[in-house]
Amino acid sequence: MDINKLLSGMTCTCGRRHTCDIQYVYIEKNATKRLTDVCRDDRNLLIVADENTFAAAGEQTLTALRDKHIEKVVFSGKTVLVPNEKAIAAVTDRLRNTDLIVGIGSGVIQDLCKYVSHYNRVPYVIVATAPSMDGYASNGAAMITDGMKVTYSAGLPRAILADVDVLAKAPMDMIKAGYGDIIGKFSALNDWKLSHCVNGEYFCDYIYDLTYAQIQRTLALADGILKRDEESVRTLMEALVVIGVLMSFAGNSRPASGSEHHLSHFFEITGILRGEEYFPHGIDVAYSTVVTAEIREKLLSRPFPATRYRLTDAEYVKTMQTVYGSVADGCMALQEKVGNYATDRSNIYKEKEDEIKSILAEVPTAEEIRKMLSLVDLDMNEFYALYSQEKRHDAIAYAKDLKDRYTVLWLYYDLMGDAANV
């Protein structure tokens, strides 16, 4: 589809005017050469990359910007870059009369550039090095601050440039992560519709339908993805960018991020806190989508109880401190502010039980999602091997506490409690 036409926005039947402030998206061979025109009026540039992403597209970027004054921040490629206060400071400290930030990378690099760009009022462009996630065109920057995974509302890049030759040579796990991130939209879209039903949250059929269409496009790409077929990789990247634009249309990440992302964030945050291994984001999202499908199936298998589940205050505090350690207070403060624990939705659940179950049943089964993942050699046994049953249980019960968003995790907790596992 014509992404640049989509960028022009539209007045929607949902009653809102959808807009996206990105000026250019180029997903093509030698896309990096477009930097010459995109950055024509900028003199002082700051390049942000890590050693791996700079090796992938750094020389092409410098060639396109050969007449500019260049500063560089290149992080180590030997360890996972965490988008925290230290990384923010490393980039911010190099802003010296900078006209434009040029990020070279994917998820963490673009979130870091987006955050620094927004809070320092310096525009940025992103040179994509992997079709690994959908955040390139979204206005959210997923950062880890004070030990918490927080998505900040930030600005958008002036341009997204993605050379299909570079994308096709990305590490295979990152390409699979992009596929997995899109499979996760089955869950995210369902959570959005669920919250619309339960809480009256804003919902847009146009955004929902176009996001769903990107899932269908992606499912046809599996064989080509494994073969690093350039057209398949280009289409995958296009689907990821389109979904990012749709997040901008919605004004938040609702169309693309729900319970499956909350589980992924749980594994990432607890992994960082405990020094434990975790999967790349999109792969965690993919596996977590199977888990959320199992949750929906369990909710569909029995009548809704008449009362909600809750720990006592003392039990809750003790459990949160055990699960989250140093970030427990931040999680509890967030939930106190949002009021999810104080809200009793029992009457809504009983009144709308049939409608809620009808929504839950729209998602493919866990077995169907497993098969979708197997098409790109993603095996749920790897998920079970890396994360213990206890950790998976804690994720199902308490990943919801990391975010202010209502998802099936809240429905499951309200009705089943933290003792029920899938």
Side-chain angles (χ1 to χ4, degrees), residues 144 147-149 265-273 324 327 402:
I144 297 178
M148 290 277 288
K149 184 86 171 187
H265 295 327
F266 176 91
F267 296 127
E268 179 183 7
I269 289 295
T270 56
I272 291 170
L273 289 171
Y324 281 116
V327 302
L402 285 168

Side-chain angles (χ1 to χ4, degrees), residues 290 294 370 380-389 392:
V290 175
E294 291 171 339
R370 284 191 189 93
M380 278 298 290
N381 288 322
E382 296 180 353
F383 178 78
Y384 301 135
L386 185 61
Y387 301 138
S388 68
Q389 184 175 357
R392 299 196 308 269

